[in-house]
Amino acid sequence: MTGQRTLQLLRTTLWSLLSFTVLFCILSAFKSLINPYPDDYVNGIIVNYANLLLNKGCYFLPINSYPFVHAAYPPVFITLTAICFKLFGSSFFIIRALSIVSTILMSIALYICIQKATANKMLAVFSALIFLTPSFMYDWISAGRVDTLAILFSLLGLYLYFSDNKKIFWPIALFTLAFYTKHSVIAAAGAVFLDQLLIRKDFRRSLTFAAMLSGAILSILAVGSLLTQGQFFLHLFTYTKVAGIELQVALTKYIRFFRQSNMFYLPKLWTLKHINNNFIM
């Protein structure tokens, strides 16, 4: 009886904390949505890219001439933003709304993926909501960042792949969209490749998948570079890699993320290992 009461207390505490942080995320998103001013440097960058695309037809411009802009983000989110600007006018509301909608759809996609993989609805709900708890999610949403849309494409690609792993055209299309939303989002595609190579032990299909995905990405890269006299490649790869990665800063952020989120992620990992114990139900 004591064990059952302890389990119930832990379960109630976990769901209470999760509900509180998700509510905080929702309030943060709403606050950013009604704020007419920039609250992150990325706000202005995305708006500037979209306006350049509308006014000049391209935002991959020579970096040594006006407006001296480094186009660090690929074109998918920027193009969606430009279309919305054309329809509704330029505003920070648009980019934040796109991020919020992408986040909602991303959580739904995560729910669907976990539900299909585990047949456990409560674990699927838990997984979908827990992704909203880290502090960086508040930044992504309020800043109108491209990350959640890229993750959404990745999750949809994973879902389609694991629904029918013999049909890889649509997963490849979605992984390509994810890459050209943010070109560091490659984990999902890598997971599919490793699944075919190591789990299913199908060397031929893994090579086919890698070749088709690489072909799609490189084809778009070639066309984009041709249309922009090479600026597409220069901005996305040559100029971007100069910034590099500060390992000490990255490590510090990962440690902070773990400290902020372990109250949720450790129980989740434990639950995945002992899924039949119904810890979160």
Side-chain angles (χ1 to χ4, degrees):
M1 184 63 69
T2 303
Q4 287 295 325
R5 288 179 178 176
T6 302
L7 185 63
Q8 179 64 35
L9 177 61
L10 288 172
R11 185 164 55 234
T12 302
T13 302
L14 179 63
W15 279 104
S16 298
L17 288 170
L18 180 60
S19 300
F20 174 79
T21 51
V22 170
L23 177 61
F24 184 81
C25 183
I26 294 171
L27 292 175
S28 176
F30 178 74
K31 180 181 177 182
S32 72
L33 198 59
I34 62 176
N35 179 18
Y37 305 107
D39 51 18
D40 186 283
Y41 75 96
V42 177
N43 290 173
I45 290 175
I46 299 296
V47 169
N48 187 38
Y49 290 166
N51 283 325
L52 283 173
L53 183 59
L54 281 177
N55 298 326
K56 295 181 176 292
C58 178
Y59 66 99
F60 296 101
L61 304 172
I63 202 169
N64 57 350
S65 62
Y66 186 82
F68 307 103
V69 172
H70 169 213
Y73 291 119
V76 173
F77 189 89
I78 309 303
T79 302
L80 285 176
T81 302
I83 292 172
C84 290
F85 280 5
K86 183 72 174 178
L87 295 174
F88 307 110
S90 176
S91 71
F92 295 120
F93 175 89
I94 295 295
I95 60 173
R96 292 165 184 159
L98 285 174
S99 288
I100 290 170
V101 170
S102 298
T103 302
I104 294 171
L105 294 176
M106 180 196 68
S107 294
I108 294 172
L110 186 57
Y111 169 85
I112 293 172
C113 288
I114 300 299
Q115 163 67 8
K116 183 176 180 61
T118 66
N120 187 324
K121 289 185 178 180
M122 293 303 292
L123 180 60
V125 171
F126 187 79
S127 300
L129 294 179
I130 203 172
F131 203 82
L132 303 176
T133 60
S135 59
F136 61 76
M137 283 302 301
Y138 312 147
D139 296 333
W140 286 356
I141 295 173
S142 64
R145 288 182 178 269
V146 305
D147 305 76
T148 53
L149 182 61
I151 295 171
L152 171 62
F153 287 138
S154 295
L155 287 172
L156 291 176
L158 286 175
Y159 175 76
L160 291 179
Y161 170 75
F162 286 108
S163 295
D164 186 353
N165 62 78
K166 294 182 180 179
K167 296 180 179 179
I168 59 174
F169 174 79
W170 287 113
I172 285 175
L174 287 164
F175 293 149
T176 303
L177 281 172
F179 183 85
Y180 281 110
T181 302
K182 187 171 185 180
H183 50 312
S184 60
V185 180
I186 57 174
V192 169
F193 174 77
L194 292 176
D195 176 72
Q196 292 180 333
L197 181 63
L198 302 179
I199 306 301
R200 304 180 193 277
K201 301 187 184 302
D202 193 332
F203 180 74
R204 182 176 180 180
R205 285 183 60 81
S206 65
L207 280 185
T208 300
F209 171 80
M212 291 180 65
L213 179 61
S214 300
I217 290 173
L218 291 174
S219 295
I220 293 173
L221 181 62
V223 172
S225 298
L226 182 64
L227 293 175
T228 61
Q229 290 77 50
Q231 294 300 319
F232 189 71
F233 175 83
L234 288 174
H235 281 269
L236 291 183
F237 298 98
T238 304
Y239 299 153
T240 301
K241 75 176 183 180
V242 172
I245 299 175
E246 296 185 28
L247 294 179
Q248 185 176 356
V249 174
L251 182 61
T252 301
K253 289 185 176 181
Y254 277 121
I255 292 173
R256 185 179 65 182
F257 165 69
F258 179 78
R259 290 175 59 186
Q260 292 174 340
S261 307
N262 66 73
M263 70 176 68
F264 298 112
Y265 283 92
L266 291 181
K268 181 184 176 185
L269 292 173
W270 186 89
T271 303
L272 288 172
K273 185 177 179 181
H274 304 85
I275 193 168
N276 293 326
N277 289 348
N278 296 320
F279 176 68
I280 63 172
M281 297 182 66

Short mmCIF file of all heavy atoms in Angstrom, two decimals, residues 116-172:
data_model
loop_
_atom_site.label_atom_id
_atom_site.label_comp_id
_atom_site.label_asym_id
_atom_site.label_seq_id
_atom_site.Cartn_x
_atom_site.Cartn_y
_atom_site.Cartn_z
N LYS A 116 2.10 5.38 -32.10
CA LYS A 116 2.27 4.28 -33.06
C LYS A 116 3.36 3.32 -32.60
O LYS A 116 3.24 2.10 -32.75
CB LYS A 116 2.62 4.83 -34.44
CG LYS A 116 2.75 3.75 -35.52
CD LYS A 116 3.00 4.36 -36.87
CE LYS A 116 3.13 3.27 -37.93
NZ LYS A 116 1.90 2.45 -38.06
N ALA A 117 4.42 3.86 -31.99
CA ALA A 117 5.55 3.02 -31.59
C ALA A 117 5.26 2.21 -30.34
O ALA A 117 5.78 1.10 -30.19
CB ALA A 117 6.79 3.88 -31.38
N THR A 118 4.44 2.75 -29.43
CA THR A 118 4.26 2.11 -28.13
C THR A 118 2.85 1.65 -27.84
O THR A 118 2.63 0.86 -26.91
CB THR A 118 4.67 3.08 -27.00
OG1 THR A 118 3.75 4.20 -26.98
CG2 THR A 118 6.09 3.58 -27.20
N ALA A 119 1.86 2.16 -28.59
CA ALA A 119 0.44 1.88 -28.32
C ALA A 119 0.05 2.31 -26.91
O ALA A 119 -0.86 1.76 -26.30
CB ALA A 119 0.13 0.40 -28.53
N ASN A 120 0.73 3.31 -26.37
CA ASN A 120 0.48 3.82 -25.04
C ASN A 120 0.09 5.30 -25.17
O ASN A 120 0.95 6.16 -25.39
CB ASN A 120 1.72 3.66 -24.17
CG ASN A 120 1.47 4.02 -22.72
OD1 ASN A 120 0.72 4.94 -22.41
ND2 ASN A 120 2.11 3.30 -21.82
N LYS A 121 -1.20 5.61 -25.03
CA LYS A 121 -1.67 6.97 -25.25
C LYS A 121 -1.12 7.95 -24.22
O LYS A 121 -0.76 9.08 -24.55
CB LYS A 121 -3.20 7.00 -25.23
CG LYS A 121 -3.84 6.34 -26.44
CD LYS A 121 -5.35 6.51 -26.42
CE LYS A 121 -5.98 5.89 -27.67
NZ LYS A 121 -7.46 6.04 -27.68
N MET A 122 -1.04 7.52 -22.97
CA MET A 122 -0.55 8.42 -21.93
C MET A 122 0.92 8.75 -22.12
O MET A 122 1.35 9.88 -21.91
CB MET A 122 -0.79 7.81 -20.55
CG MET A 122 -2.25 7.69 -20.17
SD MET A 122 -3.11 9.28 -20.21
CE MET A 122 -2.34 10.12 -18.85
N LEU A 123 1.70 7.76 -22.52
CA LEU A 123 3.11 8.02 -22.81
C LEU A 123 3.24 8.95 -24.01
O LEU A 123 4.12 9.82 -24.04
CB LEU A 123 3.85 6.71 -23.08
CG LEU A 123 5.34 6.83 -23.39
CD1 LEU A 123 6.08 7.49 -22.22
CD2 LEU A 123 5.95 5.48 -23.70
N ALA A 124 2.35 8.80 -25.00
CA ALA A 124 2.37 9.67 -26.16
C ALA A 124 2.04 11.11 -25.78
O ALA A 124 2.69 12.06 -26.23
CB ALA A 124 1.38 9.17 -27.22
N VAL A 125 1.04 11.29 -24.92
CA VAL A 125 0.68 12.63 -24.44
C VAL A 125 1.85 13.21 -23.65
O VAL A 125 2.23 14.38 -23.83
CB VAL A 125 -0.58 12.57 -23.56
CG1 VAL A 125 -0.82 13.91 -22.87
CG2 VAL A 125 -1.79 12.18 -24.39
N PHE A 126 2.42 12.40 -22.77
CA PHE A 126 3.56 12.83 -21.95
C PHE A 126 4.71 13.28 -22.83
O PHE A 126 5.31 14.34 -22.60
CB PHE A 126 3.98 11.66 -21.05
CG PHE A 126 5.03 12.01 -20.05
CD1 PHE A 126 4.70 12.66 -18.88
CD2 PHE A 126 6.36 11.67 -20.26
CE1 PHE A 126 5.67 12.98 -17.94
CE2 PHE A 126 7.33 11.98 -19.33
CZ PHE A 126 6.98 12.64 -18.16
N SER A 127 5.02 12.52 -23.85
CA SER A 127 6.13 12.84 -24.75
C SER A 127 5.85 14.11 -25.54
O SER A 127 6.75 14.93 -25.77
CB SER A 127 6.39 11.67 -25.70
OG SER A 127 6.71 10.50 -25.00
N ALA A 128 4.60 14.26 -25.99
CA ALA A 128 4.25 15.44 -26.78
C ALA A 128 4.33 16.72 -25.96
O ALA A 128 4.77 17.77 -26.46
CB ALA A 128 2.84 15.28 -27.35
N LEU A 129 3.95 16.64 -24.68
CA LEU A 129 3.96 17.82 -23.82
C LEU A 129 5.34 18.12 -23.27
O LEU A 129 5.71 19.29 -23.09
CB LEU A 129 2.97 17.64 -22.67
CG LEU A 129 1.50 17.57 -23.06
CD1 LEU A 129 0.63 17.38 -21.83
CD2 LEU A 129 1.07 18.82 -23.83
N ILE A 130 6.11 17.08 -23.01
CA ILE A 130 7.41 17.29 -22.36
C ILE A 130 8.37 18.05 -23.26
O ILE A 130 9.29 18.72 -22.78
CB ILE A 130 8.02 15.93 -21.93
CG1 ILE A 130 9.03 16.15 -20.81
CG2 ILE A 130 8.67 15.21 -23.10
CD1 ILE A 130 9.53 14.86 -20.20
N PHE A 131 8.14 17.97 -24.56
CA PHE A 131 9.03 18.69 -25.48
C PHE A 131 8.86 20.20 -25.35
O PHE A 131 9.70 20.97 -25.80
CB PHE A 131 8.77 18.25 -26.92
CG PHE A 131 9.93 18.49 -27.83
CD1 PHE A 131 10.98 17.59 -27.89
CD2 PHE A 131 10.00 19.63 -28.63
CE1 PHE A 131 12.08 17.83 -28.71
CE2 PHE A 131 11.09 19.87 -29.46
CZ PHE A 131 12.13 18.97 -29.49
N LEU A 132 7.77 20.63 -24.72
CA LEU A 132 7.53 22.06 -24.54
C LEU A 132 8.16 22.61 -23.27
O LEU A 132 8.09 23.81 -23.01
CB LEU A 132 6.02 22.33 -24.50
CG LEU A 132 5.22 21.87 -25.72
CD1 LEU A 132 3.74 22.13 -25.51
CD2 LEU A 132 5.71 22.56 -26.99
N THR A 133 8.76 21.74 -22.45
CA THR A 133 9.23 22.17 -21.14
C THR A 133 10.62 22.81 -21.10
O THR A 133 10.86 23.65 -20.23
CB THR A 133 9.22 20.98 -20.15
OG1 THR A 133 10.07 19.93 -20.64
CG2 THR A 133 7.81 20.43 -20.00
N PRO A 134 11.57 22.46 -21.97
CA PRO A 134 12.90 23.09 -21.87
C PRO A 134 12.83 24.60 -22.12
O PRO A 134 11.98 25.08 -22.88
CB PRO A 134 13.73 22.39 -22.94
CG PRO A 134 13.01 21.11 -23.21
CD PRO A 134 11.56 21.41 -23.00
N SER A 135 13.73 25.33 -21.53
CA SER A 135 13.72 26.79 -21.66
C SER A 135 13.94 27.24 -23.10
O SER A 135 13.44 28.30 -23.50
CB SER A 135 14.79 27.39 -20.75
OG SER A 135 16.09 26.90 -21.09
N PHE A 136 14.68 26.46 -23.89
CA PHE A 136 14.95 26.90 -25.26
C PHE A 136 13.68 26.92 -26.11
O PHE A 136 13.61 27.64 -27.10
CB PHE A 136 16.03 26.05 -25.93
CG PHE A 136 15.71 24.58 -26.07
CD1 PHE A 136 14.83 24.12 -27.02
CD2 PHE A 136 16.33 23.66 -25.24
CE1 PHE A 136 14.55 22.77 -27.16
CE2 PHE A 136 16.06 22.31 -25.36
CZ PHE A 136 15.17 21.86 -26.33
N MET A 137 12.65 26.14 -25.70
CA MET A 137 11.40 26.18 -26.46
C MET A 137 10.75 27.54 -26.38
O MET A 137 10.17 28.04 -27.35
CB MET A 137 10.44 25.10 -25.95
CG MET A 137 10.78 23.69 -26.41
SD MET A 137 10.82 23.52 -28.21
CE MET A 137 9.15 24.00 -28.65
N TYR A 138 10.82 28.18 -25.20
CA TYR A 138 10.23 29.51 -25.07
C TYR A 138 10.96 30.48 -26.01
O TYR A 138 10.33 31.36 -26.62
CB TYR A 138 10.35 30.01 -23.63
CG TYR A 138 9.93 29.03 -22.56
CD1 TYR A 138 10.56 29.00 -21.33
CD2 TYR A 138 8.90 28.12 -22.79
CE1 TYR A 138 10.18 28.10 -20.35
CE2 TYR A 138 8.51 27.21 -21.81
CZ TYR A 138 9.16 27.20 -20.60
OH TYR A 138 8.79 26.30 -19.63
N ASP A 139 12.28 30.33 -26.11
CA ASP A 139 13.06 31.21 -26.98
C ASP A 139 12.70 30.97 -28.45
O ASP A 139 12.53 31.92 -29.22
CB ASP A 139 14.56 30.97 -26.77
CG ASP A 139 15.01 31.33 -25.37
OD1 ASP A 139 14.37 32.19 -24.75
OD2 ASP A 139 16.01 30.75 -24.91
N TRP A 140 12.59 29.70 -28.83
CA TRP A 140 12.27 29.38 -30.22
C TRP A 140 10.93 29.98 -30.64
O TRP A 140 10.79 30.53 -31.72
CB TRP A 140 12.23 27.86 -30.43
CG TRP A 140 13.57 27.22 -30.44
CD1 TRP A 140 14.79 27.84 -30.38
CD2 TRP A 140 13.85 25.83 -30.52
NE1 TRP A 140 15.80 26.92 -30.41
CE2 TRP A 140 15.25 25.67 -30.50
CE3 TRP A 140 13.06 24.69 -30.60
CZ2 TRP A 140 15.87 24.43 -30.57
CZ3 TRP A 140 13.67 23.45 -30.66
CH2 TRP A 140 15.06 23.32 -30.65
N ILE A 141 9.94 29.85 -29.77
CA ILE A 141 8.60 30.32 -30.11
C ILE A 141 8.56 31.85 -30.16
O ILE A 141 8.07 32.44 -31.12
CB ILE A 141 7.56 29.79 -29.11
CG1 ILE A 141 7.48 28.27 -29.20
CG2 ILE A 141 6.19 30.39 -29.38
CD1 ILE A 141 6.61 27.63 -28.13
N SER A 142 9.06 32.49 -29.11
CA SER A 142 8.97 33.95 -29.04
C SER A 142 9.83 34.63 -30.10
O SER A 142 9.52 35.73 -30.54
CB SER A 142 9.38 34.44 -27.65
OG SER A 142 10.73 34.13 -27.39
N ALA A 143 10.90 33.97 -30.50
CA ALA A 143 11.82 34.58 -31.47
C ALA A 143 11.41 34.33 -32.92
O ALA A 143 12.02 34.85 -33.83
CB ALA A 143 13.24 34.06 -31.24
N GLY A 144 10.37 33.54 -33.13
CA GLY A 144 9.98 33.22 -34.50
C GLY A 144 11.05 32.42 -35.22
O GLY A 144 11.32 32.64 -36.40
N ARG A 145 11.65 31.50 -34.51
CA ARG A 145 12.76 30.72 -35.07
C ARG A 145 12.26 29.62 -36.01
O ARG A 145 11.10 29.22 -35.98
CB ARG A 145 13.60 30.10 -33.95
CG ARG A 145 14.45 31.11 -33.20
CD ARG A 145 15.29 30.44 -32.14
NE ARG A 145 16.14 31.38 -31.44
CZ ARG A 145 17.38 31.68 -31.80
NH1 ARG A 145 17.90 31.12 -32.86
NH2 ARG A 145 18.10 32.55 -31.11
N VAL A 146 13.20 29.11 -36.79
CA VAL A 146 12.87 28.11 -37.80
C VAL A 146 12.87 26.69 -37.24
O VAL A 146 12.43 25.75 -37.91
CB VAL A 146 13.89 28.19 -38.97
CG1 VAL A 146 13.94 29.59 -39.54
CG2 VAL A 146 15.28 27.75 -38.51
N ASP A 147 13.35 26.51 -36.02
CA ASP A 147 13.64 25.16 -35.50
C ASP A 147 12.43 24.24 -35.43
O ASP A 147 12.51 23.07 -35.81
CB ASP A 147 14.28 25.27 -34.11
CG ASP A 147 15.52 26.14 -34.11
OD1 ASP A 147 15.36 27.38 -34.15
OD2 ASP A 147 16.63 25.59 -34.05
N THR A 148 11.31 24.75 -34.91
CA THR A 148 10.16 23.87 -34.71
C THR A 148 9.58 23.39 -36.04
O THR A 148 9.10 22.26 -36.14
CB THR A 148 9.06 24.55 -33.88
OG1 THR A 148 8.73 25.82 -34.46
CG2 THR A 148 9.53 24.77 -32.46
N LEU A 149 9.62 24.21 -37.07
CA LEU A 149 9.15 23.76 -38.39
C LEU A 149 10.07 22.68 -38.93
O LEU A 149 9.58 21.68 -39.51
CB LEU A 149 9.10 24.95 -39.36
CG LEU A 149 8.58 24.62 -40.76
CD1 LEU A 149 7.15 24.09 -40.70
CD2 LEU A 149 8.66 25.84 -41.67
N ALA A 150 11.37 22.83 -38.75
CA ALA A 150 12.31 21.80 -39.20
C ALA A 150 12.08 20.48 -38.46
O ALA A 150 12.10 19.40 -39.07
CB ALA A 150 13.75 22.28 -38.99
N ILE A 151 11.85 20.56 -37.15
CA ILE A 151 11.57 19.35 -36.37
C ILE A 151 10.26 18.71 -36.81
O ILE A 151 10.13 17.48 -36.87
CB ILE A 151 11.56 19.67 -34.87
CG1 ILE A 151 12.95 20.13 -34.42
CG2 ILE A 151 11.12 18.46 -34.05
CD1 ILE A 151 12.98 20.66 -33.00
N LEU A 152 9.26 19.55 -37.12
CA LEU A 152 7.97 19.03 -37.60
C LEU A 152 8.16 18.20 -38.87
O LEU A 152 7.64 17.08 -38.97
CB LEU A 152 7.02 20.19 -37.87
CG LEU A 152 5.70 19.84 -38.59
CD1 LEU A 152 4.87 18.88 -37.73
CD2 LEU A 152 4.92 21.11 -38.91
N PHE A 153 8.90 18.72 -39.83
CA PHE A 153 9.17 17.97 -41.06
C PHE A 153 9.89 16.65 -40.75
O PHE A 153 9.58 15.61 -41.35
CB PHE A 153 10.01 18.81 -42.03
CG PHE A 153 9.25 19.94 -42.68
CD1 PHE A 153 9.85 21.19 -42.83
CD2 PHE A 153 7.97 19.77 -43.15
CE1 PHE A 153 9.18 22.24 -43.43
CE2 PHE A 153 7.26 20.81 -43.75
CZ PHE A 153 7.88 22.05 -43.89
N SER A 154 10.83 16.70 -39.82
CA SER A 154 11.58 15.50 -39.46
C SER A 154 10.67 14.43 -38.84
O SER A 154 10.75 13.26 -39.19
CB SER A 154 12.70 15.86 -38.48
OG SER A 154 13.65 16.70 -39.08
N LEU A 155 9.80 14.85 -37.93
CA LEU A 155 8.89 13.90 -37.28
C LEU A 155 7.91 13.29 -38.27
O LEU A 155 7.62 12.09 -38.22
CB LEU A 155 8.13 14.60 -36.16
CG LEU A 155 8.94 14.92 -34.90
CD1 LEU A 155 8.11 15.79 -33.96
CD2 LEU A 155 9.37 13.64 -34.19
N LEU A 156 7.40 14.11 -39.19
CA LEU A 156 6.49 13.58 -40.21
C LEU A 156 7.21 12.58 -41.11
O LEU A 156 6.63 11.56 -41.49
CB LEU A 156 5.92 14.74 -41.04
CG LEU A 156 4.94 15.68 -40.32
CD1 LEU A 156 4.55 16.83 -41.23
CD2 LEU A 156 3.71 14.92 -39.84
N GLY A 157 8.47 12.89 -41.44
CA GLY A 157 9.26 11.95 -42.24
C GLY A 157 9.48 10.64 -41.51
O GLY A 157 9.35 9.56 -42.11
N LEU A 158 9.77 10.70 -40.21
CA LEU A 158 9.94 9.47 -39.41
C LEU A 158 8.64 8.68 -39.35
O LEU A 158 8.65 7.44 -39.46
CB LEU A 158 10.40 9.83 -38.00
CG LEU A 158 11.85 10.27 -37.83
CD1 LEU A 158 12.10 10.71 -36.40
CD2 LEU A 158 12.81 9.14 -38.22
N TYR A 159 7.54 9.37 -39.16
CA TYR A 159 6.25 8.68 -39.07
C TYR A 159 5.94 7.93 -40.37
O TYR A 159 5.55 6.76 -40.35
CB TYR A 159 5.13 9.68 -38.77
CG TYR A 159 3.76 9.04 -38.80
CD1 TYR A 159 3.33 8.26 -37.74
CD2 TYR A 159 2.92 9.21 -39.90
CE1 TYR A 159 2.07 7.66 -37.77
CE2 TYR A 159 1.67 8.61 -39.94
CZ TYR A 159 1.26 7.83 -38.86
OH TYR A 159 0.02 7.23 -38.91
N LEU A 160 6.13 8.60 -41.49
CA LEU A 160 5.84 7.95 -42.78
C LEU A 160 6.79 6.78 -43.03
O LEU A 160 6.38 5.74 -43.56
CB LEU A 160 5.95 8.98 -43.92
CG LEU A 160 4.87 10.06 -43.95
CD1 LEU A 160 5.11 11.02 -45.09
CD2 LEU A 160 3.48 9.44 -44.05
N TYR A 161 8.04 6.95 -42.63
CA TYR A 161 9.00 5.86 -42.83
C TYR A 161 8.63 4.64 -42.01
O TYR A 161 8.61 3.52 -42.53
CB TYR A 161 10.41 6.33 -42.48
CG TYR A 161 11.40 5.19 -42.44
CD1 TYR A 161 11.87 4.60 -43.62
CD2 TYR A 161 11.85 4.66 -41.23
CE1 TYR A 161 12.75 3.53 -43.59
CE2 TYR A 161 12.74 3.60 -41.19
CZ TYR A 161 13.18 3.05 -42.37
OH TYR A 161 14.05 1.98 -42.33
N PHE A 162 8.35 4.82 -40.74
CA PHE A 162 8.05 3.68 -39.89
C PHE A 162 6.63 3.13 -40.11
O PHE A 162 6.32 2.04 -39.67
CB PHE A 162 8.26 4.04 -38.41
CG PHE A 162 9.72 4.12 -38.05
CD1 PHE A 162 10.32 5.35 -37.80
CD2 PHE A 162 10.50 2.98 -37.98
CE1 PHE A 162 11.67 5.43 -37.49
CE2 PHE A 162 11.85 3.05 -37.68
CZ PHE A 162 12.43 4.27 -37.43
N SER A 163 5.79 3.92 -40.82
CA SER A 163 4.48 3.39 -41.23
C SER A 163 4.64 2.39 -42.37
O SER A 163 3.93 1.40 -42.45
CB SER A 163 3.56 4.54 -41.66
OG SER A 163 3.27 5.38 -40.58
N ASP A 164 5.58 2.69 -43.25
CA ASP A 164 5.86 1.79 -44.37
C ASP A 164 7.29 2.06 -44.82
O ASP A 164 7.53 2.94 -45.65
CB ASP A 164 4.87 2.01 -45.52
CG ASP A 164 5.03 0.99 -46.64
OD1 ASP A 164 6.01 0.20 -46.60
OD2 ASP A 164 4.20 0.97 -47.55
N ASN A 165 8.24 1.28 -44.27
CA ASN A 165 9.66 1.57 -44.54
C ASN A 165 10.10 1.23 -45.96
O ASN A 165 11.22 1.50 -46.34
CB ASN A 165 10.54 0.83 -43.53
CG ASN A 165 10.41 -0.67 -43.63
OD1 ASN A 165 10.96 -1.31 -44.51
ND2 ASN A 165 9.63 -1.25 -42.71
N LYS A 166 9.20 0.63 -46.76
CA LYS A 166 9.55 0.33 -48.14
C LYS A 166 9.30 1.52 -49.07
O LYS A 166 9.81 1.56 -50.18
CB LYS A 166 8.76 -0.89 -48.62
CG LYS A 166 9.14 -2.18 -47.90
CD LYS A 166 8.36 -3.37 -48.45
CE LYS A 166 8.75 -4.65 -47.72
NZ LYS A 166 8.00 -5.83 -48.23
N LYS A 167 8.49 2.46 -48.60
CA LYS A 167 8.20 3.65 -49.40
C LYS A 167 8.98 4.82 -48.79
O LYS A 167 8.63 5.32 -47.73
CB LYS A 167 6.70 3.95 -49.40
CG LYS A 167 5.87 2.85 -50.05
CD LYS A 167 4.39 3.19 -50.02
CE LYS A 167 3.57 2.10 -50.69
NZ LYS A 167 2.11 2.41 -50.65
N ILE A 168 10.01 5.24 -49.49
CA ILE A 168 10.91 6.24 -48.91
C ILE A 168 10.86 7.59 -49.62
O ILE A 168 11.55 8.53 -49.22
CB ILE A 168 12.37 5.73 -48.91
CG1 ILE A 168 12.83 5.40 -50.34
CG2 ILE A 168 12.51 4.52 -48.00
CD1 ILE A 168 14.30 5.02 -50.41
N PHE A 169 10.02 7.71 -50.67
CA PHE A 169 9.98 8.98 -51.41
C PHE A 169 9.53 10.13 -50.52
O PHE A 169 10.20 11.17 -50.45
CB PHE A 169 9.05 8.87 -52.62
CG PHE A 169 8.87 10.18 -53.34
CD1 PHE A 169 9.83 10.64 -54.22
CD2 PHE A 169 7.73 10.96 -53.11
CE1 PHE A 169 9.66 11.87 -54.86
CE2 PHE A 169 7.56 12.18 -53.75
CZ PHE A 169 8.53 12.63 -54.63
N TRP A 170 8.38 9.97 -49.84
CA TRP A 170 7.85 11.06 -49.03
C TRP A 170 8.72 11.35 -47.81
O TRP A 170 8.92 12.52 -47.47
CB TRP A 170 6.40 10.79 -48.63
CG TRP A 170 5.47 10.96 -49.80
CD1 TRP A 170 4.74 9.99 -50.42
CD2 TRP A 170 5.18 12.18 -50.50
NE1 TRP A 170 4.03 10.51 -51.47
CE2 TRP A 170 4.27 11.86 -51.53
CE3 TRP A 170 5.60 13.50 -50.34
CZ2 TRP A 170 3.78 12.83 -52.40
CZ3 TRP A 170 5.12 14.46 -51.21
CH2 TRP A 170 4.21 14.13 -52.22
N PRO A 171 9.23 10.33 -47.12
CA PRO A 171 10.19 10.65 -46.05
C PRO A 171 11.39 11.45 -46.54
O PRO A 171 11.82 12.40 -45.87
CB PRO A 171 10.61 9.27 -45.53
CG PRO A 171 9.43 8.41 -45.79
CD PRO A 171 8.88 8.90 -47.09
N ILE A 172 11.91 11.09 -47.71
CA ILE A 172 13.05 11.83 -48.26
C ILE A 172 12.65 13.27 -48.57
O ILE A 172 13.41 14.22 -48.29
CB ILE A 172 13.58 11.12 -49.51
CG1 ILE A 172 14.36 9.86 -49.11
CG2 ILE A 172 14.48 12.06 -50.34
CD1 ILE A 172 14.82 9.02 -50.28
#
